[in-house]
Amino acid sequence: MPSDKKIEASISGAGTAPAPKAADKILDVARDLFYREGIRAIGVDEIVRRAGVTKPSLYRTFPSKDELAASYLRKYDLEFWQRFDDAVDAHPGNPRAQIIAFLTRVGKRTQRPDYRGCGMTNAAVEYPEHGHPARVVSENNKQELRRRLRAMAAAMGASDSDTLGDGLLLLIEGAYISGQLFGLGGPAASVARNADLLIEASLKN
């Protein structure tokens, strides 16, 4: 026979998955709003209202809006590298296929009606001042992407691997922006094909 406490827990809903913490709610709401509307366009009041929390709850975890923006981008960074690593893991030992797999997914995402480009790129545009917490996260992400692309170009045997890596980075950044400008049917849809052509031309030299 179940105990009275277990029966009470079942009736009250106790023992089910806990409700999200205030900090998690805040970050989830901020991530959605910052990505869709832009970081500068969204105020703290809007975030706490949509998250159903209070300002003190926000400031207990995030001392400022700048730190909240940086936290959003750190989470975005983790998700970005998870997607990148998924493409790499799908084609072990084949950097060319890894890059094409990653960019194929990028091209598909650019065709979605809610696509707003890369959160890192958008943040860097919004915050031109070096040293801003959000820009620092963005710069670190882009520097690491550049390093990886150059290393992958070298692994492919490109005679000028740095130039090829930088060319791939330029294609990626172009896809992020043009995806927002053109939407469905735009040039970003063919970013993987253009990357493959660039790689092929580089390997022939």
Side-chain angles (χ1 to χ4, degrees):
M1 291 289 292
S3 68
D4 292 342
K5 286 185 178 180
K6 287 184 179 179
I7 293 173
E8 289 172 6
S10 177
I11 294 172
S12 65
T16 60
K21 295 179 181 178
D24 295 332
K25 283 197 228 175
I26 291 165
L27 193 54
D28 287 344
V29 169
R31 187 197 188 292
D32 178 60
L33 291 174
F34 286 165
Y35 181 75
R36 288 192 294 107
E37 306 293 337
I39 299 172
R40 288 189 183 274
I42 298 298
V44 168
D45 289 339
E46 177 72 2
I47 292 169
V48 298
R49 182 183 70 80
R50 295 211 186 191
V53 300
T54 62
K55 275 190 181 179
S57 296
L58 185 149
Y59 289 121
R60 272 196 294 271
T61 305
F62 309 102
S64 65
K65 182 186 171 185
D66 287 347
E67 181 53 35
L68 176 58
S71 295
Y72 145 63
L73 290 170
R74 291 185 197 106
K75 184 175 182 179
Y76 192 102
D77 182 68
L78 291 173
E79 294 168 353
F80 175 88
W81 290 118
Q82 183 61 61
R83 292 193 297 270
F84 193 94
D85 290 341
D86 285 346
V88 169
D89 293 343
H91 301 278
N94 190 339
R96 183 173 183 173
Q98 292 166 353
I99 289 172
I100 299 308
F102 174 70
L103 291 183
T104 297
R105 296 174 189 177
V106 170
K108 289 178 179 178
R109 283 199 304 278
T110 66
Q111 303 303 290
R112 297 176 183 171
D114 61 346
Y115 185 71
R116 282 280 289 119
C118 173
M120 296 291 183
T121 301
N122 296 345
V125 172
E126 284 198 82
Y127 293 98
E129 59 271 30
H130 295 283
H132 186 282
R135 186 178 180 90
V136 168
V137 179
S138 300
E139 287 179 348
N140 289 340
N141 173 274
K142 299 302 181 180
Q143 291 288 351
E144 175 61 12
L145 179 59
R146 186 187 191 198
R147 185 194 69 77
R148 291 199 193 190
L149 291 173
R150 284 179 160 200
M152 293 167 86
M156 283 183 239
S159 57
D160 189 350
S161 58
D162 286 353
T163 297
L164 174 56
D166 285 352
L168 293 169
L169 181 58
L170 291 171
L171 276 175
I172 293 170
E173 292 298 326
Y176 292 151
I177 298 299
S178 64
Q180 299 183 65
L181 292 171
F182 294 93
L184 186 63
S190 62
V191 63
R193 174 58 179 154
N194 279 288
D196 201 45
L197 291 171
L198 179 62
I199 292 169
E200 182 65 24
S202 298
L203 296 182
K204 286 180 179 178
N205 293 335

